[in-house]
Amino acid sequence: MNGKIIEILTNLGGTRIEAEDHARQALATEAADMTKGLTPYSIRKAMEKTADALPWRYLLEDQEGDDPIEVFLKLRKKLTKQLITTTSNSSSCTITNEQDRLKWDGVRRFLQDTDYLVSALEAAEQAAQEPTPEPAAKPEPAAPAPARRPTKAQLKALELIAAGGVKRSQRFRDPIRVSSLNGTIYADTFEVLTREKWVSVDYSHTLFHGQPVELTDAGRAHLPA
């Protein structure tokens, strides 16, 4: 259970930080064009994605040497307390006030997006404390669900991982990357591969040094013979 939740948190955090990176790059590109003015849309989007990514940056930066689940629960408790006790900014600068508002919106989204993980941890802890019930009568087997097939992009990513050398990594404040020597694997595609259990990640390695990625038997079954 804990390993799966750590995997979900890592994927969610990587997605939010990568979205911030894209928004910042778009704003930088717009700012570099001296023939055009800055648009409120690009500025606001960069501010919003930065606010969304901030709690996830806190989570990733606090991981060193601690239990990731404990760090996650402590961060939720800390942010919840701050959200309740902190008053809104009342600066004379409209941009400062908007930045403050977006920050707390980002905190709310973080708490909302991870609330079900806390419920899952509590349910698992409660189940571990309850006595094992008597075995019930064996139900009729349900009809097997049809196996999901990968899309072309997902199949290409599986082929890249099968070729070897694929790693998940993160350097300092950069977003989490999935690096491959032979092609590009996008974050959204990789999230599907992990959700479908077509790939496995070696979490015994740190993100800084790179976490090797390999195909599972389920993922290998989709490759051409």
Side-chain angles (χ1 to χ4, degrees), residues 141-158:
R148 189 182 186 282
R149 303 294 300 176
T151 63
K152 289 183 179 180
Q154 293 161 6
L155 182 59
K156 178 63 177 178
L158 290 174

mmCIF file with all atom_site columns, all heavy atoms in Angstrom, residues 141-158:
data_model
loop_
_atom_site.group_PDB
_atom_site.id
_atom_site.type_symbol
_atom_site.label_atom_id
_atom_site.label_alt_id
_atom_site.label_comp_id
_atom_site.label_asym_id
_atom_site.label_entity_id
_atom_site.label_seq_id
_atom_site.pdbx_PDB_ins_code
_atom_site.Cartn_x
_atom_site.Cartn_y
_atom_site.Cartn_z
_atom_site.occupancy
_atom_site.B_iso_or_equiv
_atom_site.pdbx_formal_charge
_atom_site.auth_seq_id
_atom_site.auth_comp_id
_atom_site.auth_asym_id
_atom_site.auth_atom_id
_atom_site.pdbx_PDB_model_num
ATOM 1   N N   . PRO A 1 141 ? -17.145 -16.894 -10.284 1.00 0.00 ? 141 PRO A N   1
ATOM 2   C CA  . PRO A 1 141 ? -16.131 -16.019 -10.898 1.00 0.00 ? 141 PRO A CA  1
ATOM 3   C C   . PRO A 1 141 ? -16.764 -15.035 -11.873 1.00 0.00 ? 141 PRO A C   1
ATOM 4   O O   . PRO A 1 141 ? -17.650 -15.395 -12.654 1.00 0.00 ? 141 PRO A O   1
ATOM 5   C CB  . PRO A 1 141 ? -15.203 -17.009 -11.617 1.00 0.00 ? 141 PRO A CB  1
ATOM 6   C CG  . PRO A 1 141 ? -16.030 -18.243 -11.831 1.00 0.00 ? 141 PRO A CG  1
ATOM 7   C CD  . PRO A 1 141 ? -16.975 -18.306 -10.663 1.00 0.00 ? 141 PRO A CD  1
ATOM 8   N N   . ALA A 1 142 ? -16.336 -13.800 -11.778 1.00 0.00 ? 142 ALA A N   1
ATOM 9   C CA  . ALA A 1 142 ? -16.840 -12.774 -12.695 1.00 0.00 ? 142 ALA A CA  1
ATOM 10  C C   . ALA A 1 142 ? -16.175 -12.913 -14.050 1.00 0.00 ? 142 ALA A C   1
ATOM 11  O O   . ALA A 1 142 ? -15.065 -13.437 -14.176 1.00 0.00 ? 142 ALA A O   1
ATOM 12  C CB  . ALA A 1 142 ? -16.551 -11.385 -12.119 1.00 0.00 ? 142 ALA A CB  1
ATOM 13  N N   . ALA A 1 143 ? -16.871 -12.448 -15.034 1.00 0.00 ? 143 ALA A N   1
ATOM 14  C CA  . ALA A 1 143 ? -16.309 -12.490 -16.377 1.00 0.00 ? 143 ALA A CA  1
ATOM 15  C C   . ALA A 1 143 ? -15.090 -11.582 -16.434 1.00 0.00 ? 143 ALA A C   1
ATOM 16  O O   . ALA A 1 143 ? -15.126 -10.466 -15.920 1.00 0.00 ? 143 ALA A O   1
ATOM 17  C CB  . ALA A 1 143 ? -17.345 -12.028 -17.396 1.00 0.00 ? 143 ALA A CB  1
ATOM 18  N N   . PRO A 1 144 ? -13.992 -12.054 -17.001 1.00 0.00 ? 144 PRO A N   1
ATOM 19  C CA  . PRO A 1 144 ? -12.783 -11.232 -17.036 1.00 0.00 ? 144 PRO A CA  1
ATOM 20  C C   . PRO A 1 144 ? -12.985 -9.967  -17.853 1.00 0.00 ? 144 PRO A C   1
ATOM 21  O O   . PRO A 1 144 ? -13.642 -9.989  -18.890 1.00 0.00 ? 144 PRO A O   1
ATOM 22  C CB  . PRO A 1 144 ? -11.744 -12.159 -17.689 1.00 0.00 ? 144 PRO A CB  1
ATOM 23  C CG  . PRO A 1 144 ? -12.552 -13.141 -18.478 1.00 0.00 ? 144 PRO A CG  1
ATOM 24  C CD  . PRO A 1 144 ? -13.816 -13.334 -17.700 1.00 0.00 ? 144 PRO A CD  1
ATOM 25  N N   . ALA A 1 145 ? -12.425 -8.864  -17.354 1.00 0.00 ? 145 ALA A N   1
ATOM 26  C CA  . ALA A 1 145 ? -12.510 -7.602  -18.099 1.00 0.00 ? 145 ALA A CA  1
ATOM 27  C C   . ALA A 1 145 ? -11.587 -7.671  -19.304 1.00 0.00 ? 145 ALA A C   1
ATOM 28  O O   . ALA A 1 145 ? -10.533 -8.305  -19.257 1.00 0.00 ? 145 ALA A O   1
ATOM 29  C CB  . ALA A 1 145 ? -12.091 -6.446  -17.191 1.00 0.00 ? 145 ALA A CB  1
ATOM 30  N N   . PRO A 1 146 ? -11.984 -7.047  -20.395 1.00 0.00 ? 146 PRO A N   1
ATOM 31  C CA  . PRO A 1 146 ? -11.125 -7.071  -21.569 1.00 0.00 ? 146 PRO A CA  1
ATOM 32  C C   . PRO A 1 146 ? -9.799  -6.381  -21.303 1.00 0.00 ? 146 PRO A C   1
ATOM 33  O O   . PRO A 1 146 ? -9.747  -5.351  -20.642 1.00 0.00 ? 146 PRO A O   1
ATOM 34  C CB  . PRO A 1 146 ? -11.952 -6.296  -22.619 1.00 0.00 ? 146 PRO A CB  1
ATOM 35  C CG  . PRO A 1 146 ? -12.896 -5.462  -21.827 1.00 0.00 ? 146 PRO A CG  1
ATOM 36  C CD  . PRO A 1 146 ? -13.209 -6.259  -20.599 1.00 0.00 ? 146 PRO A CD  1
ATOM 37  N N   . ALA A 1 147 ? -8.706  -6.984  -21.774 1.00 0.00 ? 147 ALA A N   1
ATOM 38  C CA  . ALA A 1 147 ? -7.379  -6.426  -21.542 1.00 0.00 ? 147 ALA A CA  1
ATOM 39  C C   . ALA A 1 147 ? -7.219  -5.109  -22.298 1.00 0.00 ? 147 ALA A C   1
ATOM 40  O O   . ALA A 1 147 ? -7.626  -4.997  -23.450 1.00 0.00 ? 147 ALA A O   1
ATOM 41  C CB  . ALA A 1 147 ? -6.315  -7.422  -21.995 1.00 0.00 ? 147 ALA A CB  1
ATOM 42  N N   . ARG A 1 148 ? -6.643  -4.145  -21.625 1.00 0.00 ? 148 ARG A N   1
ATOM 43  C CA  . ARG A 1 148 ? -6.424  -2.842  -22.263 1.00 0.00 ? 148 ARG A CA  1
ATOM 44  C C   . ARG A 1 148 ? -5.222  -2.938  -23.175 1.00 0.00 ? 148 ARG A C   1
ATOM 45  O O   . ARG A 1 148 ? -4.204  -3.540  -22.830 1.00 0.00 ? 148 ARG A O   1
ATOM 46  C CB  . ARG A 1 148 ? -6.190  -1.781  -21.192 1.00 0.00 ? 148 ARG A CB  1
ATOM 47  C CG  . ARG A 1 148 ? -6.176  -0.365  -21.734 1.00 0.00 ? 148 ARG A CG  1
ATOM 48  C CD  . ARG A 1 148 ? -5.882  0.615   -20.602 1.00 0.00 ? 148 ARG A CD  1
ATOM 49  N NE  . ARG A 1 148 ? -5.998  1.984   -21.020 1.00 0.00 ? 148 ARG A NE  1
ATOM 50  C CZ  . ARG A 1 148 ? -5.078  2.637   -21.722 1.00 0.00 ? 148 ARG A CZ  1
ATOM 51  N NH1 . ARG A 1 148 ? -3.977  2.014   -22.083 1.00 0.00 ? 148 ARG A NH1 1
ATOM 52  N NH2 . ARG A 1 148 ? -5.259  3.902   -22.067 1.00 0.00 ? 148 ARG A NH2 1
ATOM 53  N N   . ARG A 1 149 ? -5.319  -2.341  -24.345 1.00 0.00 ? 149 ARG A N   1
ATOM 54  C CA  . ARG A 1 149 ? -4.228  -2.336  -25.303 1.00 0.00 ? 149 ARG A CA  1
ATOM 55  C C   . ARG A 1 149 ? -3.570  -0.954  -25.308 1.00 0.00 ? 149 ARG A C   1
ATOM 56  O O   . ARG A 1 149 ? -4.252  0.059   -25.209 1.00 0.00 ? 149 ARG A O   1
ATOM 57  C CB  . ARG A 1 149 ? -4.739  -2.654  -26.718 1.00 0.00 ? 149 ARG A CB  1
ATOM 58  C CG  . ARG A 1 149 ? -5.464  -3.972  -26.840 1.00 0.00 ? 149 ARG A CG  1
ATOM 59  C CD  . ARG A 1 149 ? -4.541  -5.146  -26.596 1.00 0.00 ? 149 ARG A CD  1
ATOM 60  N NE  . ARG A 1 149 ? -3.444  -5.164  -27.568 1.00 0.00 ? 149 ARG A NE  1
ATOM 61  C CZ  . ARG A 1 149 ? -2.440  -6.051  -27.535 1.00 0.00 ? 149 ARG A CZ  1
ATOM 62  N NH1 . ARG A 1 149 ? -2.398  -6.952  -26.558 1.00 0.00 ? 149 ARG A NH1 1
ATOM 63  N NH2 . ARG A 1 149 ? -1.491  -6.008  -28.439 1.00 0.00 ? 149 ARG A NH2 1
ATOM 64  N N   . PRO A 1 150 ? -2.249  -0.895  -25.408 1.00 0.00 ? 150 PRO A N   1
ATOM 65  C CA  . PRO A 1 150 ? -1.583  0.411   -25.437 1.00 0.00 ? 150 PRO A CA  1
ATOM 66  C C   . PRO A 1 150 ? -1.816  1.139   -26.755 1.00 0.00 ? 150 PRO A C   1
ATOM 67  O O   . PRO A 1 150 ? -2.000  0.506   -27.803 1.00 0.00 ? 150 PRO A O   1
ATOM 68  C CB  . PRO A 1 150 ? -0.092  0.039   -25.281 1.00 0.00 ? 150 PRO A CB  1
ATOM 69  C CG  . PRO A 1 150 ? 0.010   -1.362  -25.785 1.00 0.00 ? 150 PRO A CG  1
ATOM 70  C CD  . PRO A 1 150 ? -1.294  -2.018  -25.446 1.00 0.00 ? 150 PRO A CD  1
ATOM 71  N N   . THR A 1 151 ? -1.812  2.469   -26.683 1.00 0.00 ? 151 THR A N   1
ATOM 72  C CA  . THR A 1 151 ? -1.891  3.277   -27.895 1.00 0.00 ? 151 THR A CA  1
ATOM 73  C C   . THR A 1 151 ? -0.527  3.222   -28.598 1.00 0.00 ? 151 THR A C   1
ATOM 74  O O   . THR A 1 151 ? 0.442   2.640   -28.083 1.00 0.00 ? 151 THR A O   1
ATOM 75  C CB  . THR A 1 151 ? -2.216  4.735   -27.553 1.00 0.00 ? 151 THR A CB  1
ATOM 76  O OG1 . THR A 1 151 ? -1.135  5.269   -26.762 1.00 0.00 ? 151 THR A OG1 1
ATOM 77  C CG2 . THR A 1 151 ? -3.511  4.824   -26.756 1.00 0.00 ? 151 THR A CG2 1
ATOM 78  N N   . LYS A 1 152 ? -0.456  3.852   -29.793 1.00 0.00 ? 152 LYS A N   1
ATOM 79  C CA  . LYS A 1 152 ? 0.810   3.859   -30.524 1.00 0.00 ? 152 LYS A CA  1
ATOM 80  C C   . LYS A 1 152 ? 1.913   4.531   -29.709 1.00 0.00 ? 152 LYS A C   1
ATOM 81  O O   . LYS A 1 152 ? 3.050   4.046   -29.659 1.00 0.00 ? 152 LYS A O   1
ATOM 82  C CB  . LYS A 1 152 ? 0.637   4.571   -31.865 1.00 0.00 ? 152 LYS A CB  1
ATOM 83  C CG  . LYS A 1 152 ? -0.192  3.782   -32.883 1.00 0.00 ? 152 LYS A CG  1
ATOM 84  C CD  . LYS A 1 152 ? -0.251  4.518   -34.212 1.00 0.00 ? 152 LYS A CD  1
ATOM 85  C CE  . LYS A 1 152 ? -1.055  3.713   -35.245 1.00 0.00 ? 152 LYS A CE  1
ATOM 86  N NZ  . LYS A 1 152 ? -1.125  4.412   -36.554 1.00 0.00 ? 152 LYS A NZ  1
ATOM 87  N N   . ALA A 1 153 ? 1.565   5.669   -29.065 1.00 0.00 ? 153 ALA A N   1
ATOM 88  C CA  . ALA A 1 153 ? 2.563   6.387   -28.270 1.00 0.00 ? 153 ALA A CA  1
ATOM 89  C C   . ALA A 1 153 ? 3.001   5.551   -27.059 1.00 0.00 ? 153 ALA A C   1
ATOM 90  O O   . ALA A 1 153 ? 4.190   5.514   -26.708 1.00 0.00 ? 153 ALA A O   1
ATOM 91  C CB  . ALA A 1 153 ? 1.996   7.723   -27.796 1.00 0.00 ? 153 ALA A CB  1
ATOM 92  N N   . GLN A 1 154 ? 2.040   4.869   -26.428 1.00 0.00 ? 154 GLN A N   1
ATOM 93  C CA  . GLN A 1 154 ? 2.372   4.036   -25.273 1.00 0.00 ? 154 GLN A CA  1
ATOM 94  C C   . GLN A 1 154 ? 3.196   2.820   -25.692 1.00 0.00 ? 154 GLN A C   1
ATOM 95  O O   . GLN A 1 154 ? 4.126   2.414   -24.997 1.00 0.00 ? 154 GLN A O   1
ATOM 96  C CB  . GLN A 1 154 ? 1.095   3.608   -24.563 1.00 0.00 ? 154 GLN A CB  1
ATOM 97  C CG  . GLN A 1 154 ? 0.353   4.759   -23.907 1.00 0.00 ? 154 GLN A CG  1
ATOM 98  C CD  . GLN A 1 154 ? -1.101  4.445   -23.608 1.00 0.00 ? 154 GLN A CD  1
ATOM 99  O OE1 . GLN A 1 154 ? -1.554  3.306   -23.801 1.00 0.00 ? 154 GLN A OE1 1
ATOM 100 N NE2 . GLN A 1 154 ? -1.849  5.451   -23.170 1.00 0.00 ? 154 GLN A NE2 1
ATOM 101 N N   . LEU A 1 155 ? 2.879   2.241   -26.857 1.00 0.00 ? 155 LEU A N   1
ATOM 102 C CA  . LEU A 1 155 ? 3.642   1.105   -27.361 1.00 0.00 ? 155 LEU A CA  1
ATOM 103 C C   . LEU A 1 155 ? 5.071   1.520   -27.680 1.00 0.00 ? 155 LEU A C   1
ATOM 104 O O   . LEU A 1 155 ? 6.025   0.779   -27.393 1.00 0.00 ? 155 LEU A O   1
ATOM 105 C CB  . LEU A 1 155 ? 2.958   0.522   -28.605 1.00 0.00 ? 155 LEU A CB  1
ATOM 106 C CG  . LEU A 1 155 ? 3.621   -0.727  -29.223 1.00 0.00 ? 155 LEU A CG  1
ATOM 107 C CD1 . LEU A 1 155 ? 3.683   -1.853  -28.207 1.00 0.00 ? 155 LEU A CD1 1
ATOM 108 C CD2 . LEU A 1 155 ? 2.860   -1.170  -30.465 1.00 0.00 ? 155 LEU A CD2 1
ATOM 109 N N   . LYS A 1 156 ? 5.228   2.716   -28.260 1.00 0.00 ? 156 LYS A N   1
ATOM 110 C CA  . LYS A 1 156 ? 6.569   3.225   -28.554 1.00 0.00 ? 156 LYS A CA  1
ATOM 111 C C   . LYS A 1 156 ? 7.360   3.388   -27.265 1.00 0.00 ? 156 LYS A C   1
ATOM 112 O O   . LYS A 1 156 ? 8.563   3.046   -27.210 1.00 0.00 ? 156 LYS A O   1
ATOM 113 C CB  . LYS A 1 156 ? 6.457   4.567   -29.286 1.00 0.00 ? 156 LYS A CB  1
ATOM 114 C CG  . LYS A 1 156 ? 7.801   5.224   -29.596 1.00 0.00 ? 156 LYS A CG  1
ATOM 115 C CD  . LYS A 1 156 ? 8.641   4.370   -30.529 1.00 0.00 ? 156 LYS A CD  1
ATOM 116 C CE  . LYS A 1 156 ? 9.947   5.077   -30.879 1.00 0.00 ? 156 LYS A CE  1
ATOM 117 N NZ  . LYS A 1 156 ? 10.806  4.230   -31.756 1.00 0.00 ? 156 LYS A NZ  1
ATOM 118 N N   . ALA A 1 157 ? 6.704   3.903   -26.214 1.00 0.00 ? 157 ALA A N   1
ATOM 119 C CA  . ALA A 1 157 ? 7.384   4.071   -24.928 1.00 0.00 ? 157 ALA A CA  1
ATOM 120 C C   . ALA A 1 157 ? 7.790   2.713   -24.347 1.00 0.00 ? 157 ALA A C   1
ATOM 121 O O   . ALA A 1 157 ? 8.883   2.573   -23.786 1.00 0.00 ? 157 ALA A O   1
ATOM 122 C CB  . ALA A 1 157 ? 6.477   4.810   -23.949 1.00 0.00 ? 157 ALA A CB  1
ATOM 123 N N   . LEU A 1 158 ? 6.934   1.714   -24.497 1.00 0.00 ? 158 LEU A N   1
ATOM 124 C CA  . LEU A 1 158 ? 7.276   0.362   -24.025 1.00 0.00 ? 158 LEU A CA  1
ATOM 125 C C   . LEU A 1 158 ? 8.499   -0.170  -24.763 1.00 0.00 ? 158 LEU A C   1
ATOM 126 O O   . LEU A 1 158 ? 9.374   -0.820  -24.168 1.00 0.00 ? 158 LEU A O   1
ATOM 127 C CB  . LEU A 1 158 ? 6.085   -0.577  -24.226 1.00 0.00 ? 158 LEU A CB  1
ATOM 128 C CG  . LEU A 1 158 ? 4.857   -0.343  -23.325 1.00 0.00 ? 158 LEU A CG  1
ATOM 129 C CD1 . LEU A 1 158 ? 3.713   -1.263  -23.740 1.00 0.00 ? 158 LEU A CD1 1
ATOM 130 C CD2 . LEU A 1 158 ? 5.196   -0.561  -21.860 1.00 0.00 ? 158 LEU A CD2 1
#
